[in-house]
Each structure stands twice: as C-alpha cells, then as structure tokens.
Amino acid sequence: MFHEAWGSKAGEKQAQFNDFIERNCICISMELVTAVLGDHGQRPREDYAVVTAVTELGNGKPKFYSTPEVIAFCRKWRLPTNHVWLFSTRKSVTSFFAAYDLLCEEGTATSVCRALDEVADISAPGSKDHITVQGEILEGLVARIVSHESSKHMEEVLKDHPPPSADGAGMDLGPSLREICAANRLDEKQQIKALLLKVGSSFCPDHSDWCDSHSRNADRSVLTKFLQAHPADYSTAKLQEMIRLMKEKRFPAAFKCYHNFHKAESMSSDNLFYKMVIHVHSDSGFRRYQKEMRHKPGLWPLYRGFFVDVNLFKANKERAAGIAKSNNDIVGHVNNGSSRSTIDGLANEDANLMIKLKFLTYKLRTFLIRNGLSILFKDGPAAYRAYYLRQMKIWGTSAGKQRELSKMLDEWAVYIRRKCGNRQLSSAIYLSEAEPFLEQYAKRSPENQALIGSAGNLVKTEDFLAVVEGGMDEEGDLATEREEAPASLSPSVKDTIQKTEGLIVFFPGIPGCAKSALCKELLNTPGRLGDDRPVQSLMGDLIKGRYWPKIADECRKKPYSIILADKNAPNEEVWKQIENMCHSTRASAVPVIPDSEGTDSNPFALDALAVFMFRVLQRDNHPGNLDKSSPNVGYVMLMFYHLYDGKSRKYFEDELVERFGSLVKIPLLKPDRSPLPASLISVLEEGLNLYNLHTERHGRWESNKGSYVQEWAKWEKKLRDTLSANAEYLNSIQVPFEFAVQQVSEQLRKIAKGDYTIPSTEKRKLGTVVFAAVDLPAAEIQGLLNKLSGMNSKAEAFLKDKPMDNFLRKAHVTLAHKKSHGVSAVASYGLYLHRQVPVELNALLFTDKMAALQAQLGSIDDEKIVSKNEWPHVTIWTGEGVPPKEANTLPQLLSEGKATVVEINPPLTVSGTVEFY
C-alpha cells in the first residue's frame, strides 16, 4: 500500500509513519478484503484494505477519531478509506433509511451507491472503487449518528485534503499477496514467514511473535499479577478497573497473555514484558457492561477486542512518587479537556448508536448457503429447509423473495449433495461450487438475476489458500459469524406447526412460576392442546445427567410428539441448544413465560419476584430441594433472577420471538392489584444489594460460604417473616391457577393450529416497496362519484354500468415509482411517511377503457408535496386487460379529442396519508 501510494518515497514515509503512530499511541483499524483467508460473501477481484477507525490512547481513555478526522488522517498518509456519505437534514436521513428499505433485498454496489449519492448531503468516494476491486455484491452499510457540526467539519476536511495521488501506480510492486500465498500454500507457517519477509523490516522488524519455536503463551498468573500491581499511569488504572469488573462478573470474555519477545533484551526478574489479548465472545457481555456503566460512569467503554502491551516492574520510592503525581495531572487533564472527536462523534456518551444494514444478495451467500452447509450435510434437506426459512422469517424477508429463495436453495441442496455425496463442502472454498451454480441460475430469468445480484468471474482460491486443519483460528475461539436479527417481525406471518413434526414447550422462567403445575395439567388433560400427538413431560429435577441432551434424544426417538420441558431455561446458551434441536429433529419450539411488566434491566418486576419466592416457600418435599426446608431459598431465587440481568422486558420477549417465532404468556398478577407494600420492596432491594456485594467478592460461591454468611442468614429469616406477614396480599394479587391453565392451553392450541400471529412492534416493508403514494379513503371517492353522477349526465352515463364497488376498494395518488423514477425519488418521500396531506380532486377524465380523477396535492409543514408523475391522478377504473398505468395517457388523449372531461366544481378536498407500497 505504501509503495503504491508513495512510489520511491515509500520506505522513508513508512518509517515516519511508524514513528508517528508509536509516539502518539495510535491504533489503526483496517478491514482486510482478501480471497486468501477463505470465502465470505463474494470473492474479491483484488486484495485490498480500507481504514475503518483510528484511535488515540493518549492521556486518558481511547479517543476515536471522527469520520472527518479519519479521512484527513488517511489522506495525509495516503491510506485507503471507504466510501462515506453524510446526511445532515431530516429529509436526507429519512430518505437514506427509505432507500435502504427499497434496496435491501436486491441492492448491489451500483444501485446502492447511485441512490445514496443522490440523497446524501455530502458524498466522499472511497480510495478503492468497490465494483472494481470487490464486485457488485455489497455486504452492507454502517449508519452512525453524529453531531450536526460534523457536516461543517467534513466540508472543511474535503476542501483542505483533496484525494491523494498514487505515485507508485505504475511501479513493479513485486509478487502480490495471492502469488506469495500460492507459492507457499502447502505450509501455513511458511506462508506467514514469506509474507513477513515481503513486507520488510520497517513494517515487521521482529518475526519472533510469529515464528518463535517455543511457546508464546505466558503463565495464567500474569493476569492476576497485572490486576494486583500498582498502575503506573491513568490508562493502566482504567484498564485494570475494566478487567477486574469483567472477571468478577464472569463476563463472556477471554484474557490471554503472551511473552513479548521484542523486549527480550530489557527483560529481568524485576522487569517483565507481556502482550495481552482481550476478546469479548458474546454480545450479552456488552449489554451487561452498559448496565455497569450506568452505575459507574467513569468506566472505560468496552470494545470487542483489545491488544495490550504490559510491563510489570518494581519501582523505587522516588519513581513511585513521580508516577503518582503524573497520574493526578493526567486525571485533571482528562476531566477538563475536550476535542473535536468528542463533538463530531458524541464520544462523551460512550454509547454511539451504530446500525448494521446488510443486503439480501450478500446474506443468501453467507448465511443461507455457507452457514447452512453443516446442517444440510449432517441433518439433511428437511432440516436445511427449516433453517433457511427461519432465517428469512427472522430477517422479515418479503413473501415473494422467500418463495424465490426457497426454490433456489432447494435446487442448490440437491445439486451440491449430488456432487459432493456425503463429504461436506468446505466453507472455506464453498464459492468454488456456489458461484458457478448461482451464475447459471441467474441466467434463466430477469427475476433470478435480481435475486442473485451478480455472479461469475470466479477467482480460484484453491490456488493460494493455505492447507490448514479445521476452520478455526489458532486460538480456537472465533465463532462462526451469526447474523443479528431485527427487533421486530412481520405481523402477517403465521406459523403452522405440522402434525408430522415435534413440538418442544419450554419455560424461560424462575422457580415458582408454576411451570411444573402447568405441565401436570397439560399432561393429564388429553386433547387440551387440540392435538392428537402424544404428550410427555420431563421434569428437570428428576432427570439424571445433562437435561437438554436428554430432551434432544427424546425428540429423535419420538419425532412427532409434544415434549413439555419442565425445567427453567433462562439464557441464550440454553435457547441455542433448543434451536439446534429444532434444526436437527424438524421440531418446533414454543417458549412459555410468566407475564410481567418487567423493568429496564430485568424482564421480571419485583412483584413477580415476590410471588415466586412466596410460592417456593409454600412447597413441601420438592424434588429439587428448593422448598420451605431449604435454608437458602432467597439466595437461590436471587441467583435465578440475576440470570436475566441486563435484559429489559421488551428485549427478552423480542429475542424469544425472533428465535422461535412464537411466545406464550402465563397470566400471573391481577391488573387491578394494589402496589407492592413498602416492606416487601425493602426486603427485596436489601437482598439484591447483598447479592451484588457477595458476587462481586466471591463470584459463584454459595451464600453459606464467604464473608457474608451471617448477613445472608439474617436476611433469609427477614425475607420469610416479611413474606409471611404479607401472605394475604400476595395471595390476593395472583390470578386463579385454573384461569392461567386455560389461557396457556388456548395460546398453545392456536399455535398448533396455525392461528397464531407473530407479535410485532412496528410495520416495515423491507425490500417490497415499489412506489410511494398518497393513500385516499375509498369510501369518500365513491361518495364523490355518486354525487357527480347525480349532477352530470356524462358522468352518470359513464358510471352507471361500471362495477365501482368491486373495483374501487383502494384509492391512491402515485408520487414516484421505483422503476420509472428511481430509488432515490421514492425514498425522498420517506420524510412524510404516514403523514396526512390534503388532496383536491377537480376533474374526472375517462374513455371507454379507463377513468381517473385529476388531483392537486397540498402541503405538509408548509412543504408542497409534488408528484414525480407529470399528471397527478387517482385511477378509479380500467377495462379488462388495461393496466392502471395507462391512465397516465388520459391528458394526451383528451388533447386529441379521444377522452372526456367532467369538471368538479367546487373541487372536493379529501385527506390522505403518504405511504409506501
């Protein structure tokens, strides 16, 4: 990259660059797009990289450069950047999201970039043209909220930093990445060595990190020593605070330490050097950490990964005093300072909202084809079909595209299994088979071409991909990419559970939520679910060994049965196991949850928790030993309650619906109940605080161990006394159990019959939008025509034999059509979506083949709504075989004397709403 940018000055500039980023503690994050590391989406035509982020550690927490600063930095050093669009007005922002909704199912690089160029306020093209180096398949976009001042800053940067020249464009740059990999493909270590030699000593002066023969892994005690050491600067103190919290709270993260061989000459027993890699595995860690940040605003923000140079050393008194003073100065500077990045990036909130917007043409290759390979080859075509249908449902894919993709993917499944037999196609080179298949499929019809997006010109990765065992990285902790599901699903989709498939009913709840009693009622009442499939219940407390594998075995043994999984299923790990069961056994799963208002950080409110605890303390001889005779009931209940910590009620329900397509709620509390008594609130909050203290110090130790044993004993007694004193209240606020059973049975019966409608929080027409229009009330239009017929003989003669009641069920004025006017034209009306606009109807034009009302559009917020059609109108009738768009020709036919006009005087004004169709 440096040789291409700087030509003969490359060596000199790279040395300056290295010195600059090391002196200023700068981290450059880049996206490497290459075909040499395995298939992903579509193979790039060329290997390239673009800078995605620049971060300064400096004197305080990491400071991310704003987008304008990244562009200025990259253009100064001639580093490649991505295409950036800025939307600084409400109209351009709404047009952007509307454009995505229009393109998300068929968008390719050409159509997406053209549309965004048209609606953006500022467009800064990338250093590399996506179509030239990658191709037409576009993975997606990342949208980020920035401050309004960013617009001015961006204009200044683009003016002061024009695109740099490429002084080395014509130079011989030597063997390419692919050529080096191809020459050394039999040995991955040799491949690495050859690449390091090629980039030279300026970029990589020491190969010891990559090629050292003895183990690079350091002792696990290094992390403990790091946390116990006195921090030598402010950054270290904040990093220690972050790691300590993550360890205490058992966040899903790995902390790995390695010897730093670069510092071998400086190493001694009093001066040790290590490299630490921190990797956050699960998204749930970020939600939990954000909750901690609300309580401790001084915490550093958490990112997916950190690479840290650690120096553990012994300091004398003088040096220690100097370090302490320096730290105080830094803290003051950080607290009082400000920067341009803070303004442009809203960095002070530490929670920048970024949204990934991916395209279906990419997702079908990566998620439906690549990620479905193991299911197809291990579990067969039926399980594969269940997998891809569920993915499309999660994405909210339009019904038409679901049909098209199902046909294509079924054909792909037959094709690849016939070609590969029982030997699974490697996901690293799957495009060698998928791309030719997609290319041939696309050639059959324009619809297929739109579905596939682009295919062909296959790059052969087998020529340079290193021969390695398995598909994991060397640390073995990089999970297969999993697509994020949207927050809501289409409300029109109905899930019918086939009688030839199994059904798993499971309970994401807390002890005391009545799941065992419910299971007993469902089991003992044949036909309660309106289903003739056999029903069996498996109680977790009575199953020896691992519970969920036992459920999977039962599903395989009795694939057409209904299984009541009588065990709490509180987290994503369990839900994933249930999903896998559904894929491998063709079963469906229905989550059954206690109904509760919940809180911002837990799906169960305190009144629900109080009732659950009260119920548990009424039990005798419970198989799981959680009853009135248990000494630590309160602690165990709080432990279960905290398994849901960090999930709001909305998130909890949406996550279950997105994973399983349905949700059943157990009625719990009466809606007209009086508030929870202060004594109950107090004892529960006291327990929650004690639980936090206990887990911060002792992790998962039980309450009869550690330094809070006495406090736990006192609180357990206080809890029982308080619940007992409020027994009458707790009994009075619960709905009758018979009513709960009836409601749950009814909901399960609807799901089994297919009468269930998936809950939704909003309506989105992703990918299915064809045109924008003003929706008008058909009844008012019909009334106008009846009135006009009574007043004008021409209108009466024309309308008398027309079945207008059948034809005029919907009415609209077209504003813009995707095919005729373009994506950006339709998207431009996104600002006015669902807003009301007055429409004046002033004339009826007709021939013997069609009729339409002439329309004049009014304004919204003093902004005149203008149709892209030359003649705004409402088509009210067309003869057999005449498409509605032919009504556009009526003014021309009128001028030629081939149409009739009836004036409407005074004009009728109706109110319509701007909608997408």
Side-chain angles (χ1 to χ4, degrees):
M1 282 165 48
F2 266 87
H3 276 91
E4 191 176 36
W6 294 99
S8 59
K9 295 181 181 177
E12 174 192 343
K13 288 294 180 181
Q14 190 168 342
Q16 292 175 10
F17 179 71
N18 290 349
D19 180 60
F20 178 81
I21 60 175
E22 190 155 346
R23 273 191 292 106
N24 292 279
C25 296
I26 288 176
C27 172
I28 313 290
S29 303
M30 309 185 94
E31 176 85 10
L32 173 62
V33 184
T34 176
V36 307
L37 295 175
D39 284 341
H40 178 76
Q42 186 182 44
R43 288 177 190 164
R45 295 170 179 171
E46 299 176 19
D47 299 318
Y48 67 102
V50 288
V51 174
T52 54
V54 180
T55 324
E56 251 180 53
L57 184 58
N59 295 325
K61 64 183 174 184
K63 184 192 84 171
F64 277 76
Y65 281 21
S66 67
T67 303
E69 286 175 326
V70 170
I71 292 174
F73 178 87
C74 289
R75 289 189 173 181
K76 174 186 175 183
W77 291 103
R78 300 188 185 179
L79 300 176
T81 55
N82 234 328
H83 201 143
V84 173
W85 292 272
L86 184 75
F87 307 89
S88 57
T89 64
R90 182 172 175 79
K91 183 172 184 178
S92 65
V93 170
T94 51
S95 296
F96 162 69
F97 284 109
Y100 172 74
D101 287 353
L102 285 155
L103 290 166
C104 66
E105 291 191 342
E106 293 183 354
T108 58
T110 296
S111 59
V112 171
C113 292
R114 183 192 301 127
L116 296 193
D117 281 343
E118 289 173 357
V119 300
D121 297 302
I122 296 177
S123 174
S127 309
K128 302 280 187 179
D129 180 74
H130 192 282
I131 298 164
T132 303
V133 294
Q134 169 67 69
E136 280 288 357
I137 300 303
L138 187 64
E139 178 174 351
L141 306 164
V142 176
R144 178 185 176 210
I145 290 181
V146 295
S147 137
H148 200 70
E149 288 76 16
S150 188
S151 178
K152 183 180 179 182
H153 190 195
M154 180 76 86
E155 289 174 351
E156 292 172 356
V157 164
L158 296 179
K159 179 183 176 183
D160 297 340
H161 298 84
S165 58
D167 294 350
M171 289 177 59
D172 178 12
L173 302 177
S176 68
L177 173 60
R178 297 183 186 187
E179 289 168 339
I180 296 169
C181 289
N184 299 275
R185 68 178 298 268
L186 293 179
D187 183 354
E188 189 184 28
K189 287 188 176 179
Q190 184 59 37
Q191 212 174 52
I192 291 171
K193 201 169 186 177
L195 287 167
L196 293 173
L197 288 170
K198 177 66 179 79
V199 297
S201 59
S202 180
F203 186 85
C204 187
D206 190 333
H207 296 180
S208 56
D209 273 344
W210 303 87
C211 308
D212 205 284
S213 57
H214 64 277
S215 172
R216 296 187 296 120
N217 285 37
D219 189 272
R220 287 191 174 189
S221 65
V222 171
L223 182 61
T224 304
K225 292 173 182 174
F226 170 73
L227 293 177
Q228 291 172 347
H230 293 288
D233 56 28
Y234 181 70
S235 299
T236 305
K238 300 308 291 182
L239 190 67
Q240 285 175 319
E241 182 184 28
M242 174 193 291
I243 296 173
R244 198 172 287 119
L245 174 71
M246 294 171 72
K247 294 291 287 182
E248 288 172 354
K249 298 287 185 179
R250 297 180 179 272
F251 276 38
F255 303 88
K256 298 187 178 180
C257 296
Y258 305 92
H259 295 288
N260 187 347
F261 298 116
H262 292 264
K263 305 287 187 179
E265 294 179 1
S266 306
M267 222 175 272
S268 69
S269 58
D270 291 345
N271 198 32
L272 303 173
F273 295 88
Y274 300 97
K275 292 189 174 184
M276 185 193 304
V277 179
I278 304 172
H279 179 190
V280 180
H281 291 307
S282 169
D283 289 349
S284 64
F286 294 102
R287 289 192 295 273
R288 290 168 58 190
Y289 194 84
Q290 283 165 2
K291 184 186 175 188
E292 296 294 334
M293 289 183 75
R294 286 197 289 270
H295 298 305
K296 302 174 183 176
L299 277 173
W300 264 12
L302 181 66
Y303 302 101
R304 178 66 71 183
F306 295 84
F307 299 89
V308 187
D309 284 332
V310 177
N311 176 205
L312 295 175
F313 61 91
K314 287 187 178 179
N316 56 37
K317 289 182 180 179
E318 290 78 11
R319 187 178 179 190
I323 289 171
K325 182 179 184 306
S326 176
N327 282 350
N328 289 335
D329 292 342
I330 290 170
V331 171
H333 171 76
V334 170
N335 290 340
N336 297 325
S338 63
S339 72
R340 188 58 169 270
S341 285
T342 304
I343 296 169
D344 286 346
L346 306 181
N348 56 322
E349 293 183 6
D350 290 329
N352 295 337
L353 177 59
M354 294 193 187
I355 313 167
K356 279 186 178 180
L357 304 164
K358 294 193 177 183
F359 293 94
L360 187 60
T361 50
Y362 164 83
K363 292 194 289 189
L364 75 88
R365 288 163 164 81
T366 303
F367 301 111
L368 300 185
I369 294 180
R370 186 192 73 177
N371 289 7
L373 285 172
S374 61
I375 296 170
L376 174 60
F377 280 90
K378 289 178 183 175
D379 303 320
Y384 176 58
R385 182 175 175 80
Y387 163 76
Y388 73 64
L389 285 174
R390 183 183 170 279
Q391 283 297 112
M392 289 192 283
K393 183 176 69 177
I394 286 172
W395 297 334
T397 307
S398 65
K401 277 289 185 268
Q402 287 197 43
R403 287 192 296 271
E404 292 177 39
L405 279 170
S406 296
K407 181 182 175 184
M408 186 270 287
L409 292 168
D410 286 345
E411 193 172 318
W412 157 255
V414 172
Y415 165 82
I416 198 61
R417 278 171 62 90
R418 185 179 295 157
K419 186 161 187 178
C420 296
N422 294 324
R423 188 166 178 266
Q424 182 178 327
L425 175 65
S426 168
S427 61
I429 56 169
Y430 79 100
L431 286 174
S432 296
E433 298 294 345
E435 198 73 20
F437 169 83
L438 294 172
E439 184 178 12
Q440 290 303 313
Y441 194 86
K443 288 178 180 177
R444 295 185 201 168
S445 70
E447 291 78 17
N448 286 5
Q449 182 65 59
L451 179 73
I452 302 304
S454 174
N457 302 320
L458 185 68
V459 177
K460 290 189 176 181
T461 57
E462 293 87 340
D463 295 341
F464 43 76
L465 195 65
V467 179
V468 290
E469 293 298 321
M472 304 292 280
D473 70 308
E474 65 140 19
E475 294 180 359
D477 56 12
L478 291 182
T480 303
E481 183 174 357
R482 176 177 176 269
E483 172 68 351
E484 294 282 334
S488 62
L489 302 170
S490 167
S492 62
V493 178
K494 289 192 174 183
D495 283 353
T496 303
I497 297 174
Q498 302 296 324
K499 299 295 187 293
T500 56
E501 298 176 356
L503 174 63
I504 303 167
V505 179
F506 68 101
F507 299 85
I510 290 176
C513 68
K515 67 183 181 307
S516 296
L518 267 170
C519 288
K520 187 176 179 181
E521 288 293 324
L522 294 172
L523 188 65
N524 294 339
T525 314
R528 188 182 277 278
L529 300 182
D531 201 311
D532 57 1
R533 284 175 290 181
V535 181
Q536 60 175 324
S537 178
L538 296 175
M539 190 175 188
D541 295 314
L542 299 177
I543 300 294
K544 293 182 180 179
R546 298 172 65 201
Y547 180 80
W548 295 108
K550 174 68 175 174
I551 295 291
D553 290 341
E554 290 298 317
C555 287
R556 282 187 282 270
K557 288 177 189 174
K558 301 173 183 176
Y560 310 134
S561 65
I562 297 174
I563 296 177
L564 307 176
D566 184 4
K567 183 178 177 65
N568 287 299
N571 52 35
E572 283 94 339
E573 287 76 11
V574 173
W575 302 345
K576 184 63 180 174
Q577 288 185 59
I578 297 170
E579 284 183 286
N580 291 338
M581 283 182 229
C582 294
H583 292 154
S584 61
T585 64
R586 294 186 64 194
S588 299
V590 179
V592 180
I593 63 172
D595 201 1
S596 172
E597 289 90 347
T599 70
D600 289 340
S601 57
N602 198 294
F604 302 107
L606 288 183
D607 50 9
L609 178 61
V611 167
F612 297 152
M613 288 177 164
F614 179 68
R615 287 176 176 178
V616 169
L617 286 169
Q618 307 302 304
R619 302 197 297 207
D620 287 306
N621 301 317
H622 184 259
N625 297 319
L626 189 64
D627 52 36
K628 65 171 64 171
S629 63
S630 307
N632 62 341
V633 165
Y635 168 78
V636 174
M637 294 295 291
L638 291 175
M639 182 182 68
F640 271 97
Y641 187 73
H642 271 77
L643 290 174
Y644 298 93
D645 203 30
K647 297 183 180 78
S648 68
R649 183 70 187 191
K650 184 180 184 305
Y651 172 85
F652 176 62
E653 291 187 3
D654 284 351
E655 181 74 10
L656 288 168
V657 170
E658 286 161 8
R659 287 175 181 268
F660 301 103
S662 60
L663 187 67
V664 169
K665 295 182 181 180
I666 310 170
L668 178 64
L669 304 176
K670 295 176 180 177
D672 57 349
R673 65 189 181 276
S674 55
L676 199 63
S679 59
L680 280 173
I681 295 174
S682 176
V683 76
L684 291 175
E685 289 182 344
E686 186 180 329
L688 290 168
N689 291 334
L690 181 57
Y691 184 88
N692 288 332
L693 288 171
H694 176 88
T695 53
E696 280 180 12
R697 179 169 294 185
H698 303 299
R700 294 185 181 179
W701 283 14
E702 292 188 8
S703 57
N704 59 0
K705 299 175 184 176
S707 52
Y708 296 102
V709 174
Q710 291 183 358
E711 286 84 350
W712 276 118
K714 290 177 183 177
W715 179 79
E716 292 279 359
K717 184 179 184 306
K718 184 176 180 180
L719 174 69
R720 292 176 188 240
D721 292 343
T722 308
L723 290 172
S724 178
N726 288 279
E728 185 178 347
Y729 166 81
L730 292 168
N731 282 318
S732 70
I733 66 172
Q734 300 180 52
V735 300
F737 178 65
E738 296 76 17
F739 175 75
V741 174
Q742 177 192 345
Q743 291 294 308
V744 170
S745 302
E746 193 174 308
Q747 292 174 73
L748 287 171
R749 191 160 51 246
K750 283 185 176 181
I751 291 172
K753 287 171 64 180
D755 292 337
Y756 176 83
T757 301
I758 293 176
S760 175
T761 54
E762 63 171 357
K763 292 183 180 180
R764 295 293 296 278
K765 296 179 179 178
L766 301 179
T768 60
V769 175
V770 177
F771 63 95
V774 177
D775 185 35
L776 298 175
E780 289 190 41
I781 304 297
Q782 183 70 61
L784 167 67
L785 294 174
N786 293 337
K787 185 178 179 182
L788 194 62
S789 182
M791 296 170 57
N792 185 284
S793 57
K794 290 181 182 178
E796 181 183 15
F798 173 75
L799 293 168
K800 68 179 180 180
D801 59 346
K802 305 290 186 300
M804 299 304 293
D805 288 343
N806 293 332
F807 192 87
L808 195 59
R809 292 180 179 176
K810 291 184 177 181
H812 67 263
V813 180
T814 299
L815 297 172
H817 196 284
K818 184 160 69 171
K819 191 172 182 181
S820 305
H821 306 105
V823 169
S824 59
V826 178
S828 66
Y829 294 99
L831 176 63
Y832 311 110
L833 200 58
H834 311 314
R835 299 285 303 278
Q836 289 199 332
V837 59
V839 179
E840 184 182 277
L841 304 172
N842 53 34
L844 169 66
L845 280 72
F846 60 87
T847 68
D848 59 346
K849 294 181 179 179
M850 55 194 160
L853 291 166
Q854 182 169 281
Q856 186 169 332
L857 300 169
S859 301
I860 298 177
D861 297 336
D862 299 325
E863 185 81 24
K864 178 75 172 173
I865 303 301
V866 179
S867 172
K868 297 294 190 290
N869 271 344
E870 288 185 21
W871 183 57
H873 64 278
V874 184
T875 304
I876 60 169
W877 174 81
T878 58
E880 190 173 345
V882 180
K885 69 177 182 180
E886 286 298 309
N888 282 297
T889 63
L890 280 168
Q892 179 64 31
L893 293 172
L894 181 64
S895 68
E896 296 171 1
K898 298 176 182 178
T900 303
V901 62
V902 175
E903 301 289 339
I904 301 174
N905 195 7
L908 174 72
T909 299
V910 295
S911 182
T913 55
V914 178
E915 304 291 348
F916 284 157
Y917 292 88

